[in-house]
Amino acid sequence: MSFPHWSLKSCATTCRFPHGMSFAPPFSLTFLCCERARVLQSVGSSKLKASMKAVVITSPGGPDVLKLQEVENPQVKDDEVLIKVAATAVNRADTIQRKGAYPPPPGSSPYLGLECSGTIEAVGKHVSRWQAGDRSVGSSKLKASMKAVVITSPGGPDVLKLQEVEDPQLKDDEVLIKVAAAAVNGSDTIQRKGAYPPPPGSSPYLGLECSGTIEAVGKHVSRWQAGDRVCALLSGGGYAEKVAVPAGHVFPIPPGISMTDAASFPEVACTVWSTVFMMSRLSAGETFLVHGGSSGIGTFAIQIAKYQGARVFVTAGNEEKLAACKNLGADVCINYKTEDFVARVKEETGGKGVDVILDSIGADYFRRNLDSLNFDGRLFVIGLMSGPVTELDLRAVLSRRLTIQAAGLRYRSPENKAVIVREVENNVWPAIVAGKVKTVIYKSFPLSEAAEAHRLMESSQHIGKILLVLTLLGSAGCVMLTMHFTIQLVSQHLFYWKNPKEQKAIIIIILMAPIYAVDSFVGLLDIKGSKTFFMFLDSIKECYEALVIAKFLALLYSYLKISISKNIVPDEIKGREIHHSFPMTLFQPRTVRLNHQTLKLLKYWTWQFVIIRPVCSVLMITLQAFGLYPSWLSWTFTVILNLSVSLALYSLVLFYHVFAKELAPHSPLAKFLCIKGIVFFVFWQGVVIDILAAVGVIRSHHFWLDVEHIEEAIQNVLICLEMVVFSVLQQYAYHVAPYSGDVEKKMLNKKRE
């Protein structure tokens, strides 16, 4: 019922109104309420007098049978809400109902309208999510309010599609998390094929762990509140924008860990701690073998086992993966393709075998795992990659007192999972905070590329966790916006090409923002690049910066009709005093008279940076590439370049102050701030990031990504964002208006003729 001013909706068919959207639904035709109905006085009464208006079908027929009439208020049931309708949409089904061929279901409102928007006026006594005053949309058809990766049918990665789905329903003991990142696990690929369904009552969507921000909490939740930054162990639903999860399955994000990286911890931490330590009782001084050492489970197990004092053995399929395991702390690394891991384990343990094995392979490794165990050894099976069926000779189990266990984390009871989560928080989180256990993230994907993430997972080429990052394309979006605003301004100048000398300089200047943005984005694409690579990228930006400074001075000369090459200096500015300040007074008189020679000197002071910057860049990159770049040489180049750029900027500031009155009509300050602002922000935010890293605020939790790489990434992301701002400011500072007047007048006159 939507055509009336009042509408009843079951809680299950009511959605919160998206922030920033008007009440009118996004449909081609809507009705807007034109008269306020009286406030509902007695919801619980058995009969209410007519107190609202509704469109009534007076008799089956054409559109003329629809009449706006006074009708009774609707009755609010215990599980319903009463909505004061602001707008409702017209559907084809309404026209069929009007003709008498599409009656409403028994017990439903007799009035037209299948969807509406408005404000909740009252709620039934069994309703907990909604309250009076909420702005909402309600419809049996309007449930989609978030995006999730959906398995359209069992099969390969291509069956994964990002679709609009209904928001999760929040239970009393749950929290609703707005997902920032979710990790990909091997079990996700099995579920995609139809062989690993979620537990009953769980989300049908993929994703066993996530990180994000709590949006809402159930009424029985006391520890968490809206706004908390958390990560969580899930039974499903991580591949979505929102997920509801029991409050007992939620972790605080460890200090020093980013929101994105935190998504890679819950599943592996709970799996490894519950199987290896809680059930298999691995202790300090024992030996531990984990198969698939370069997987997400493996990389985590290596680190936490070493932290607990065990000797760690791993198997992996190539030397790159073995090297990664070695870097994480593995003591014995075995290439299962070229070595017999049973023989190697026996050799390394003096014929005894290891104390605990964590196996995800299954049938093919079962008997070989038993042969690799020491007396009182414990085998824990968590996966069946090679199959579920094998044979067991019980004599080996009996004679060496072996323990064989198997379990999956996903199908444990919520209460058991909550116990594991608390154990992990108490025992594993301190190791993460101390930097003893780090995230191992091989590659990140946006949520829309879940299929590509699955392909990579199934290729076994990854090392560590693969993350689906919802905001990965943000920097690319900033670059595109910067390009858009810049191209728009450049095209305007090209269209109104009136003063080539000035406008060439302007185009070179305004291209500074997109060049900085693209250069920084390239740095993000190769986040693990070498120092030489990042030095090359910085050199591109700063060499172009030198050219821009020189062109800006040339632009100011042009405004004053000065030509150094043609020895043209207007008489009205000759002899004007120039006052130098310290430290330039060490090299120049405090006061000099302006003439051709002093103007030429200002030009040289700007152009010296155009020459010195590229020369220093070539030397720095060459020396860095050959490993001949000690810290003292780095500081030497830093001092030279800072003196050079300071001299260039000084010449611009000096010129502006001397000719401020003559330059005022050209908005030189706004133009200069666009240049100085870019240089200022890039330089000083780099200094701030260095300080934060030095005091330990910015830390590395990656075994392959050091603090310097993280600093570069933060710097590049900030530059991509800032260049959008500067490209917008340039629209004002370098507007085409001074050059478009005559052309527009001619076009207007031609149009009149």
Side-chain angles (χ1 to χ4, degrees), residues 522-595:
V522 170
L524 282 175
L525 293 178
D526 188 10
I527 194 172
K528 294 189 292 181
S530 65
K531 290 183 179 179
T532 305
F533 172 71
F534 288 120
M535 184 180 291
F536 172 72
L537 294 179
D538 288 339
S539 296
I540 292 175
K541 288 185 287 193
E542 293 179 15
C543 287
Y544 197 82
E545 171 195 329
L547 178 62
V548 166
I549 291 174
K551 285 297 180 181
F552 183 70
L553 183 62
L555 182 63
L556 298 185
Y557 279 7
S558 178
Y559 288 153
L560 297 178
K561 303 189 183 329
I562 297 172
S563 175
I564 302 299
S565 60
K566 297 180 180 179
N567 197 17
I568 299 175
V569 181
D571 292 336
E572 59 269 21
I573 66 174
K574 284 182 180 179
R576 188 170 295 187
E577 288 186 348
I578 297 178
H579 300 283
H580 290 296
S581 57
F582 182 84
M584 288 305 296
T585 52
L586 297 175
F587 312 99
Q588 292 286 319
R590 180 173 294 276
T591 302
V592 296
R593 294 287 180 178
L594 190 144
N595 54 34

Side-chain angles (χ1 to χ4, degrees), residues 306-367:
K306 288 296 293 183
Y307 178 72
Q308 295 293 326
R311 188 183 181 206
V312 180
F313 293 63
V314 300
T315 62
N318 60 51
E319 296 307 315
E320 180 188 4
K321 293 181 178 181
L322 292 173
C325 294
K326 191 73 174 178
N327 288 336
L328 290 171
D331 298 288
V332 179
C333 301
I334 306 167
N335 189 330
Y336 66 83
K337 293 182 179 179
T338 60
E339 293 184 83
D340 178 2
F341 73 82
V342 179
R344 181 71 184 279
V345 165
K346 293 288 188 180
E347 177 188 341
E348 294 287 343
T349 58
K352 295 180 180 180
V354 295
D355 298 301
V356 176
I357 297 177
L358 184 63
D359 175 55
S360 57
I361 307 302
D364 288 354
Y365 275 19
F366 186 73
R367 282 184 288 179

Side-chain angles (χ1 to χ4, degrees), residues 175 177 208-210 223-224 230-235 245-254 265-275 278 300 409-410 412-430 432:
V175 299
I177 298 175
L208 301 179
E209 53 192 339
C210 76
R223 180 181 181 185
W224 307 106
V230 297
C231 53
L233 177 69
L234 311 173
S235 296
V245 55
H249 301 175
V250 178
F251 297 91
I253 292 181
F265 279 128
E267 172 73 13
V268 292
C270 291
T271 297
V272 173
W273 189 259
S274 63
T275 57
M278 293 176 67
F300 187 89
L409 184 62
R410 190 178 195 183
R412 293 175 184 257
S413 69
E415 295 76 15
N416 185 235
K417 286 184 182 180
V419 171
I420 294 172
V421 167
R422 297 288 74 81
E423 285 288 316
V424 169
E425 185 177 348
N426 292 335
N427 295 281
V428 178
W429 254 227
I432 296 173

Side-chain angles (χ1 to χ4, degrees), residues 276-299:
V276 177
F277 295 97
M278 293 176 67
M279 300 183 70
S280 297
R281 308 175 310 284
L282 179 67
S283 57
E286 290 192 311
T287 50
F288 168 59
L289 168 63
V290 56
H291 293 296
S294 65
S295 67
I297 292 287
T299 54

Side-chain angles (χ1 to χ4, degrees), residues 505-522:
I506 288 174
I507 289 175
I508 291 173
I509 293 169
I510 61 181
L511 287 176
M512 185 178 182
I515 287 175
Y516 265 56
V518 172
D519 183 276
S520 298
F521 186 69
V522 170

